[in-house]
Amino acid sequence: MELHLATAASAPIVLLVSLVYEGVDRKLRARMQGRVGPPLLQPFYDLVKLFSKDRIIPFTAAYPLFNYAPLLSASCALAGGALVFVVLVTGLQLAGDLLLVFYLLSSSSLLAMVGGASSGNPYAAISLSRGLSVLLSYKLPMLLSVLTAAIKAGGTLSLASVIALQAEAGGGIATLSLGGALALLAFMLCMPAEGEVPPFDVTTAKTEVVHGFLIEYGGPHLALVKIAKGVSRFSTALLAASLFLYTPARPPLAAMLCLLEAMCIAVLTITVPGTVLGRVKPSQVVRFCLVAPTSIAILSLAISLLEAGGLA
Amino acid sequence: MKIGVMLRDALRRLLGRPLTIGYPLKPERPATPRGYRGMIAYDWETCIGCMLCLKVCPSGAVSVADRRKVTFDVGRCIFCGQCAEICPVGAVRLTSEFEMVAVDRSAYRVGPRW
Amino acid sequence: MTRERELMRVPFGPIHPALKEPVKLTLLVDGEEVVDVSIELGYVHRGIEALAETRNIVQVLHLVERVCGICSHAHPLCFIQAIESIGGIEPPERALYIRSLVAELERMQSHLMWLGVMSYQAGLLTLFMYALRVREGILDVLEEFTGNRVIKEVNTIGGVRRDLDDRIIARMRSAVKELRRALKLLIEAVHDKTLESRLEGVGVLEHGEAVELCAVGPVARASGVDFDVRRDDPYAAYSQLRGKFSVIVRRGGDALSRTEVRILEVLESTELVEAILDELPQGEVRLGKPLLRLSREIPAGEDVSRVEAPRGELLYYVRTDGREFLNRLRIRTPTLANFPALMAMLRGSELADVPIILSSIDPCIACAERVTLVDAREGARRTVRLSELRRGGG
C-alpha cells in the first residue's frame, strides 16, 4: 500500500523533471544551431495549451483504442519512471522490479504507436510497421544490458539490490568493471532510438511519414502522448543512471545525483545526436541496432558471467 | 567517411552568441542598407503630374488624384521602384522603412495632402 | 496476380511536410518500393503568361521578376535579352558584367538554400541552419547592392539599374571569401556518413535517360550530360569569362552526385564573382535614352532566349506587337523540364527516399505551373499528360 502511495507521489516529480529536460533539450538544440530558442518552460506552456483544446477523433478511428491509448501510454511511462525514483529514494526491495520497469516503458511506446495507428491514417500505419521493427531491435540490446547489471548484483532482478551493490562497492557498475562499462555503452547506443531523435527517428519523421503515429493526435491526446514520450525517454535515462552510474551517498542526495546523471545521459545520447546527425532509413536502424549494440551487450553479458563465475 | 561532422560547429555555436534576434526589434535594430526599396514617400508639391509612374506601375498601385497628382496604394505596391526611377523630378522615393503593418487600410494610401 | 493486391496507393501531397509547395504525387507502392508514380500540377497556377499579355514591356519586366522568388534574376534577364535582341539594343559592357555578377550571386544563394532544404529532408536540421546562415552573407551583399534580398530588380532595357561602387565591391569580395571558407564544412558535412548513406545510389538517372528525357541543369550534369548554357551559348558577359569557370560534371546520376555538382558550382561561382570584380570594365551601366522611348522603339518581332538559371536551362519565347505590348510570352522553367526525369528517378525507389529524390531536382513548383491547359473552344480543363511532358514540355 505504501508503495502505491509513494509511486503516486513521485509521479509528478518525474513528470516535472522530464519536462525540464525537454526544455533543456530544446534550448540546447537551438543554441547549437545558432538560434535563440524557446524559453526553458516552453514544454509546460505547450501542455497547458494542448490540454485546453478540444479532442478531435477522426471518423475512421477505432474509438476506444484511439481515445484511451494516450492516457494508458502516459500512465505506463509515469508508473515506470516513478517506480525507479521510489526505489532510488527508499531503497525498497522489490523482486523483479527491473523487468516491471522495462515492461512499463516498452508498453508506453507500444501503446502510443498502436493508438495512433488505430486512427486509420495510412501514414500512421506505415509508422507503426516501422516502429514495431525498430522497437524490437533496440529493446533487445537494452534488455541484455539490464540483465548484465542484474547478474552483477548476484542474479536478482531487483533494482534495489543493484543499487545496494553499487553503494557497497563505492561506485557505479560501469566504473567498476569492463562488463558494466560495455553494458552502459550498449544501452546508450540505443538511446537515440528510445528518444525518437535522428538518426533513428524513422517512426515520427516529418518529411517521410508526416509525424507518423502522431499525425491524427491533437489537443489533450497529443499532450498525453508527449508526456508519455518525454517521461519514458527520461525514465530510460534515469534507469541507466541508477543501474550503471549510481554514486553512493545518503538516499535523497543519491537520488538527486541520479536525476542529474540521467539529465547528462539524455543530453549526450538524445540532444547531441539529434542535433548533429541525419536520419537513416528504417532498414538501416534495424541493422545497426541488431549489430552494434546487440553484439556489445552480448559481449558484456558474457564477460559479466565469466567475472561472476570467477568470483564464485 | 566521417560521422557527426556538424558536432564541431554545433559546439562552437553553443558557446557563442545566438545569431537570431528577437522581434519586435529593440533599439539595436539592424540597419537597412542605403538604397533599400521600402515604403513609398511621395513629395506631392514637387510632382508635375506627368503620369509616367501610372504608365509603368506593374501592379496598378498608382491612381490619379485631384489636380493632376497621383495616389499610391502601398497595399498593392510590389516595391519594384520603377516609379521612383521614371519620375523626371524625383517626387517619388522608396524609403528604408520596412515595417509596414497597419490595421487601417488608409495607412497604405500615400497621396497629396491638401 | 497475388502481388497486385499488395499494391497500395499513397498520396504524397498536395499538402505534405516534405513539400514546400503544393504538387500531388500519387505513388503506387508495393511494400516500401515505389512501383509507379503520377504527378498532378495546377494547385498554384497563377496565370502569369496571360497576365503578361495585358501589360506593357516595362511592366512585364517586373512581372517576370516574380515568376520565381529564388531565381528572380534569371527570369528578367532571360526576358530582357529577348527584348533587346528584338529591338537590336546593345547594353554597355559594364552592364553585362553586372548581370553576370548578380546571376552568379543568385546561383550561390539558390544552391545553398537547396542544400539546406535537402538536409532538412534527411533530418539534419543543423546543417539546414548552417547552410542558411552561410547564405545570409550572400543575401546581405545582394540587399546592399540591389535594394532587396531576393527580388533584385536590377535589369532594365539596355542595361542595369544600379552601378557598383567601391564599398559594395569590397563587401562582395569579403562575402565571397567568407563563403569559400564556410563551404569546406558544407562539403565535409555532405560526406557525413548518415547523410551520405541517404544520398548515395538514391534516385539514379542514367546518362541515356537524362538525354532522352531532356533533363536540364545540375540534374543533367550529375548524370554526365556536359552542358551549360553559360559555356555553350554564352550570354551577358559569359563569352568574355569563358576561361574563368569550368562546368562541373558527375557521372553517378544519384542524389549524391547532384549534391556534389551543386556544391562545386557554388565554388565555381565564387571564382567567377572574383573574376568579374577583377575585370569589371569602366563606363555607363545603361543606355542614355529614356526607358519609355526605348520600349516604344522595340518593333514587332519574336525571339527565344535562354539562360542558365540555378536550377537549369530557362527558356523564354517573346513576341512583341511593336506597340510596347506583348502578343505572347512563353516560359519554360527548368523544373518543368526536369519532371519527366523525376518520374524516372522515383520509379523503383524506396518510399523513404521519395522526399530526398523529389528535392534532389530542386523543384520550384509555382514556377513550373504552366501545364494546365484550358481549351477555349470546349471550356474544358485538362492537365498535360506525362507523355506530352516528356517531349520537352515546351
Side-chain angles (χ1 to χ4, degrees):
Chain A
M1 196 59 219
E2 284 133 29
L3 175 69
H4 292 160
L5 280 176
T7 311
S10 359
I13 301 174
V14 172
L15 175 62
L16 198 77
V17 182
S18 307
L19 289 180
V20 168
Y21 165 65
E22 206 76 33
V24 170
D25 173 67
R26 290 179 64 175
K27 195 76 185 171
L28 279 180
R29 200 174 290 204
R31 294 305 291 269
M32 281 196 255
Q33 294 169 346
R35 294 184 284 124
V36 172
L40 200 61
L41 295 182
Q42 191 62 43
F44 293 90
Y45 304 150
D46 284 352
L47 285 189
V48 170
K49 182 196 77 175
L50 287 172
F51 273 120
S52 66
K53 288 177 133 188
D54 275 349
R55 290 185 312 168
I56 297 172
I57 293 165
F59 67 90
T60 48
Y63 174 78
L65 199 54
F66 183 82
N67 192 34
Y68 295 113
L71 186 63
L72 284 173
S73 169
S75 322
C76 282
L78 278 170
L83 199 58
V84 178
F85 188 73
V86 167
V87 174
L88 267 175
V89 175
T90 60
L92 198 68
Q93 280 283 352
L94 273 172
D97 58 355
L98 270 180
L99 280 188
L100 180 61
V101 168
F102 200 80
Y103 167 77
L104 281 171
L105 294 181
S106 306
S107 309
S108 165
S109 310
L110 196 63
L111 276 166
M113 283 196 288
V114 171
S118 71
S119 65
N121 189 304
Y123 284 114
I126 295 174
S127 164
L128 175 67
S129 81
R130 285 176 165 200
L132 286 178
S133 50
V134 171
L135 199 67
L136 283 176
S137 61
Y138 81 82
K139 286 289 184 188
L140 176 69
M142 254 189 186
L143 188 61
L144 286 177
S145 39
V146 171
L147 287 181
T148 308
I151 285 165
K152 289 270 168 200
T156 63
L157 280 165
S158 126
L159 181 55
S161 44
V162 178
I163 290 172
L165 168 88
Q166 297 181 92
E168 216 171 282
I173 285 181
T175 59
L176 289 178
S177 67
L178 178 65
L182 284 176
L184 178 63
L185 179 66
F187 198 97
M188 281 172 71
L189 282 174
C190 296
M191 282 295 284
E194 169 68 37
E196 272 172 20
V197 290
F200 300 148
D201 62 334
V202 291
T203 42
T204 50
K206 190 157 73 162
T207 51
E208 287 172 24
V209 288
V210 204
H211 285 304
F213 61 86
L214 294 173
I215 186 167
E216 296 290 352
Y217 276 135
H221 288 138
L222 184 61
L224 286 168
V225 177
K226 271 179 182 277
I227 288 177
K229 201 66 246 173
V231 170
S232 87
R233 58 153 75 151
F234 185 76
S235 306
T236 312
L238 188 61
L239 186 64
S242 47
L243 277 181
F244 301 108
L245 291 169
Y246 184 83
T247 326
R250 283 190 300 125
L253 183 65
M256 295 297 282
L257 280 175
C258 264
L259 285 179
L260 206 65
E261 278 167 6
M263 198 78 92
C264 295
I265 290 176
V267 166
L268 272 181
T269 57
I270 293 178
T271 310
V272 174
T275 312
V276 300
L277 295 178
R279 186 188 313 117
V280 297
K281 283 188 234 180
S283 53
Q284 290 168 323
V285 181
V286 175
R287 209 177 313 139
F288 174 83
C289 286
L290 287 182
V291 174
T294 309
S295 52
I296 294 174
I298 290 175
L299 190 64
S300 75
L301 200 60
I303 291 175
S304 303
L305 281 172
L306 281 178
E307 284 169 348
L311 285 176
Chain B
M1 283 288 239
K2 284 180 173 179
I3 195 154
V5 173
M6 293 310 291
L7 185 63
R8 213 177 47 210
D9 185 66
L11 289 180
R12 197 163 45 225
R13 281 291 135 228
L14 187 64
L15 300 174
R17 270 166 62 93
L19 298 151
T20 49
I21 47 173
Y23 191 89
L25 300 165
K26 292 286 168 322
E28 69 276 17
R29 139 191 185 144
T32 343
R34 277 185 279 170
Y36 180 80
R37 301 194 309 269
M39 183 76 180
I40 284 188
Y42 174 49
D43 183 358
W44 59 276
E45 283 167 322
T46 318
C47 177
I48 51 170
C50 64
M51 299 295 158
L52 281 179
C53 47
L54 187 76
K55 187 163 188 222
V56 296
C57 181
S59 60
V62 186
S63 54
V64 185
D66 296 348
R67 295 183 239 174
R68 292 192 65 78
K69 304 285 175 189
V70 290
T71 303
F72 295 88
D73 180 358
V74 185
R76 297 193 65 129
C77 180
I78 58 173
F79 306 99
C80 65
Q82 191 65 58
C83 48
E85 190 196 305
I86 208 94
C87 184
V89 290
V92 190
R93 199 161 54 80
L94 266 66
T95 64
S96 61
E97 182 55 53
F98 61 91
E99 288 176 284
M100 289 178 261
V101 180
V103 285
D104 186 2
R105 268 174 195 270
S106 66
Y108 290 149
R109 302 207 79 82
V110 178
R113 290 197 205 97
W114 309 111
Chain C
M1 281 303 104
T2 47
R3 288 183 63 80
E4 224 160 74
R5 274 188 297 128
E6 294 166 19
L7 293 182
M8 186 159 70
R9 212 172 271 278
V10 178
F12 192 90
I15 311 291
H16 190 285
L19 296 168
K20 299 289 157 271
E21 293 173 275
V23 61
K24 189 176 174 193
L25 298 178
T26 307
L27 307 169
L28 208 56
V29 177
D30 180 6
E32 281 260 329
E33 192 198 340
V34 177
V35 182
D36 202 5
V37 57
S38 70
I39 193 164
E40 196 183 301
L41 293 167
Y43 293 94
V44 272
H45 183 74
R46 294 170 294 170
I48 284 190
E49 288 176 11
L51 195 60
E53 291 163 22
T54 67
R55 297 280 194 277
N56 66 36
I57 291 170
V58 179
Q59 289 171 322
V60 172
L61 179 58
H62 299 296
L63 177 67
V64 293
E65 182 98 32
R66 285 155 179 83
V67 171
C68 178
I70 300 300
C71 19
S72 71
H73 178 68
H75 283 267
L77 178 59
C78 196
F79 172 73
I80 215 78
Q81 280 175 10
I83 292 289
E84 283 169 355
S85 119
I86 294 171
I89 299 166
E90 283 200 9
E93 189 88 331
R94 188 176 170 89
L96 293 179
Y97 270 82
I98 292 179
R99 283 178 181 177
S100 287
L101 173 73
V102 178
E104 289 314 312
L105 290 171
E106 178 177 275
R107 190 179 321 280
M108 291 179 201
Q109 63 92 4
S110 171
H111 282 353
L112 286 171
M113 168 126 169
W114 170 83
L115 186 70
V117 171
M118 187 70 166
S119 36
Y120 164 75
Q121 304 286 15
L124 187 45
L125 203 59
T126 310
L127 186 55
F128 169 84
M129 297 287 174
Y130 183 80
L132 262 80
R133 190 199 318 156
V134 173
R135 173 176 179 256
E136 207 59 24
I138 299 298
L139 287 182
D140 279 348
V141 289
L142 275 174
E143 186 183 27
E144 191 90 19
F145 174 48
T146 68
N148 209 326
R149 288 154 49 88
V150 282
I151 304 288
K152 300 163 198 86
E153 307 263 25
V154 260
N155 291 298
T156 190
I157 303 174
V160 290
R161 292 167 70 184
R162 291 190 183 194
D163 197 2
L164 289 166
D165 59 27
D166 290 342
R167 195 178 51 90
I168 292 176
I169 290 178
R171 281 212 52 184
M172 278 182 181
R173 280 188 197 279
S174 69
V176 163
K177 208 172 282 165
E178 206 161 293
L179 170 65
R180 200 176 294 146
R181 245 201 319 271
L183 271 178
K184 276 199 203 108
L185 180 65
L186 280 179
I187 294 172
E188 246 182 84
V190 167
H191 291 285
D192 188 293
K193 203 174 173 197
T194 49
L195 197 54
E196 198 180 60
S197 70
R198 288 308 302 273
L199 300 175
E200 205 170 12
V202 165
V204 177
L205 184 72
E206 302 290 340
H207 175 83
E209 282 178 310
V211 173
E212 193 196 339
L213 300 175
C214 309
V216 296
V219 176
R221 286 195 286 276
S223 296
V225 181
D226 189 4
F227 179 80
D228 189 318
V229 185
R230 291 179 292 168
R231 184 195 61 195
D232 300 314
D233 182 12
Y235 55 96
Y238 288 114
S239 48
Q240 289 95 311
L241 294 165
R242 199 177 274 243
K244 299 291 189 292
F245 70 103
S246 47
V247 175
I248 311 289
V249 179
R250 284 283 179 278
R251 313 229 161 259
D254 56 356
L256 185 65
S257 304
R258 291 193 273 280
T259 311
E260 276 178 3
V261 165
R262 288 197 177 93
I263 292 187
L264 294 177
E265 275 183 11
V266 176
L267 210 57
E268 287 299 314
S269 288
T270 61
E271 306 278 331
L272 254 173
V273 166
E274 282 180 345
I276 291 171
L277 292 176
D278 287 340
E279 292 175 15
L280 197 65
Q282 294 301 317
E284 290 298 309
V285 292
R286 62 191 295 176
L287 298 178
K289 276 190 197 172
L291 181 62
L292 281 171
R293 185 176 314 155
L294 274 174
S295 85
R296 257 199 307 279
E297 283 170 5
I298 288 163
E302 59 178 356
D303 196 36
V304 169
S305 157
R306 56 178 179 170
V307 301
E308 185 75 23
R311 294 184 170 91
E313 180 197 46
L314 169 69
L315 188 132
Y316 266 62
Y317 166 79
V318 179
R319 193 162 75 219
T320 53
D321 67 354
R323 290 187 304 272
E324 283 187 85
F325 280 78
L326 298 181
N327 269 340
R328 182 76 177 101
L329 176 70
R330 182 78 185 92
I331 308 169
R332 207 286 314 267
T333 59
T335 304
L336 185 63
N338 278 333
F339 273 141
L342 173 67
M343 313 281 234
M345 292 174 207
L346 284 175
R347 262 180 226 115
S349 65
E350 248 182 86
L351 189 59
D353 288 331
V354 170
I356 302 260
I357 296 173
L358 184 64
S359 27
S360 79
I361 72 156
D362 197 3
C364 181
I365 308 297
C367 308
E369 289 279 304
R370 37 208 97 256
V371 260
T372 307
L373 299 181
V374 177
D375 192 325
R377 278 162 301 174
E378 295 165 25
R381 189 187 156 101
R382 69 186 179 98
T383 306
V384 170
R385 291 148 59 108
L386 178 62
S387 52
E388 292 167 290
L389 262 181
R390 200 170 273 163
R391 291 268 45 98

